[in-house]
């Protein structure tokens, strides 16, 4: 049975994250339903990451063993016909027998979007956090640099997480503006539960003057979740890229 690497993108608005849950609809369940209908057998799908309820993905990778591989074009055409409009596959390839989408992953890139218009935009309401007060993107870009490096990010992890090792390496963290849209892009070897959303919330605290930029290293060192910013809404978060072996630094 060939081991396939499938790449999908999805709008997470109506799903309770990636992973199958007992009482809620997940992206994994919908994908497995479509693959079962296609192959006549329900595959054991291995995802590259867990994403929370409401989080989106521009690139999400899964691996699974299929009864046969008809080739990329035929598989994607048949699979997308069975998937809903908010989940679509766009790449597939046969990979080596030992490949695992999660364990082979070397790093990820996330983007968090903040809509900085004075009034809410209904066309962005599902894909960006609305913040109507002034934001100096250049100031936040400088503040974001404090997150780069290998640190213990316990202060930027949800209090409900049971992860023991909270050390992660952030290769890049930057903030930019295009019109009224603020974009925070962060790339690292891995991320803690709600880490990106808490970092984005901390940067908004810098924008509002509640936290000074040079206090960020002290917050990191403290390991105290209460000193960091709020966890921003999931809807602004996108898993943008997954790295397998290629250079992820810089």
């Amino acid at each position: 049975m060939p081991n396939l690497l499938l790449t999908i993108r999805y709008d997470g608005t109506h799903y309770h994250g990636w992973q199958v849950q007992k009482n809620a609809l997940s992206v994994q369940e919908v994908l497995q339903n479509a693959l079962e209908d296609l192959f006549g057998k329900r595959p054991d799908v291995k995802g590259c990451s867990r994403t929370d309820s409401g989080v989106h993905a521009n690139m999400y990778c899964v691996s699974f063993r299929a009864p046969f591989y008809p080739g990329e074009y035929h598989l994607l055409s048949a699979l997308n016909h069975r998937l809903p409009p908010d989940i679509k596959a766009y790449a597939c390839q046969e990979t080596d027998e030992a490949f695992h989408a999660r364990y082979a992953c070397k790093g990820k890139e996330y983007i968090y979007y903040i809509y900085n218009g004075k009034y809410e935009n209904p066309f962005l309401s599902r894909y960006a956090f609305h913040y109507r007060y002034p934001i100096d993107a250049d100031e936040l870009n400088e503040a974001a640099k404090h997150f780069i490096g290998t640190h213990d990010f316990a202060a930027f992890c949800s209090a409900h997480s049971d992860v023991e090792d909270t050390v992660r390496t952030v290769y890049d963290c930057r903030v930019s503006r295009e019109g009224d849209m603020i974009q925070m892009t962060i790339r690292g070897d891995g991320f803690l539960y709600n880490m990106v959303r808490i970092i984005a919330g901390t940067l908004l605290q810098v924008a509002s003057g509640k936290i000074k930029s040079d206090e960020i290293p002290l917050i990191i060192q403290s390991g105290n979740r209460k000193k960091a910013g709020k966890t921003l809404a999931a809807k602004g978060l996108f898993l943008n890229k997954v790295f397998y072996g290629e250079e992820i630094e810089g």
Side-chain angles (χ1 to χ4, degrees):
M1 295 177 67
N3 191 23
L4 302 183
L5 171 59
L6 178 73
T7 308
I8 66 174
R9 54 171 63 99
Y10 58 82
D11 177 339
T13 303
H14 300 299
Y15 301 99
H16 288 257
W18 158 257
Q19 194 168 7
V20 168
Q21 299 181 35
K22 291 183 179 180
N23 301 310
L25 186 65
S26 70
V27 176
Q28 182 181 11
E29 180 182 348
V30 172
L31 178 61
Q32 284 182 300
N33 289 343
L35 288 170
E36 182 177 16
D37 186 61
L38 174 60
F39 290 113
K41 181 178 180 181
R42 194 171 188 82
D44 180 16
V45 173
K46 301 172 177 66
C48 64
S49 176
R50 294 183 179 182
T51 58
D52 295 338
S53 177
V55 174
H56 315 290
N58 288 320
M59 178 182 184
Y60 190 94
C61 297
V62 301
S63 57
F64 65 96
R65 294 191 179 280
F68 59 90
Y69 182 42
E72 183 180 56
Y73 173 78
H74 293 291
L75 187 146
L76 295 181
S77 297
L79 180 59
N80 283 332
H81 179 72
R82 291 165 168 82
L83 287 170
D86 51 6
I87 303 175
K88 293 298 176 185
Y90 65 92
C92 187
Q93 66 184 71
E94 191 169 354
T95 186
D96 64 83
E97 185 176 338
F99 182 87
H100 189 293
R102 179 181 176 186
Y103 299 136
C105 179
K106 302 300 182 184
K108 304 181 187 76
E109 179 180 273
Y110 283 91
I111 294 178
Y112 195 91
Y113 291 102
I114 299 171
Y115 177 61
N116 194 215
K118 188 174 182 180
Y119 304 105
E120 293 184 63
N121 185 329
F123 299 106
L124 298 174
S125 62
R126 302 200 307 184
Y127 309 112
F129 177 78
H130 180 233
Y131 186 81
R132 65 186 181 91
Y133 303 102
I135 293 178
D136 184 336
D138 292 333
E139 177 190 22
L140 295 197
N141 188 50
E142 289 301 311
K145 293 178 182 179
H146 290 299
F147 294 106
I148 299 174
T150 301
H151 307 290
D152 185 336
F153 283 100
F156 297 87
C157 179
S158 170
H160 301 294
S161 174
D162 57 0
V163 174
E164 294 183 2
D165 182 9
T166 51
V167 175
R168 298 291 185 274
T169 298
V170 171
Y171 299 112
D172 190 28
C173 187
R174 62 184 66 186
V175 177
S176 60
R177 174 189 285 275
E178 184 173 342
D180 288 331
M181 187 64 76
I182 301 293
Q183 175 178 316
M184 183 196 79
T185 305
I186 185 166
R187 181 182 298 182
D189 63 354
F191 296 90
L192 302 169
Y193 185 44
N194 287 345
M195 178 174 162
V196 178
R197 292 160 60 189
I198 296 170
I199 288 176
T202 301
L203 290 175
L204 276 192
Q205 294 282 63
V206 173
S208 68
K210 294 179 180 179
I211 293 177
K212 295 181 180 179
S213 177
D214 57 11
E215 292 178 323
I216 291 177
L218 300 177
I219 296 173
I220 295 174
Q221 293 170 20
S222 74
N224 188 343
R225 171 67 189 92
K226 294 181 180 179
K227 292 188 177 182
K230 296 180 179 180
T231 304
L232 295 191
K235 65 181 181 179
L237 184 61
F238 287 72
L239 174 56
N240 191 55
K241 191 170 184 181
V242 183
F243 296 92
Y244 291 106
E246 66 264 47
E247 185 65 41
I248 64 174
E249 299 182 28

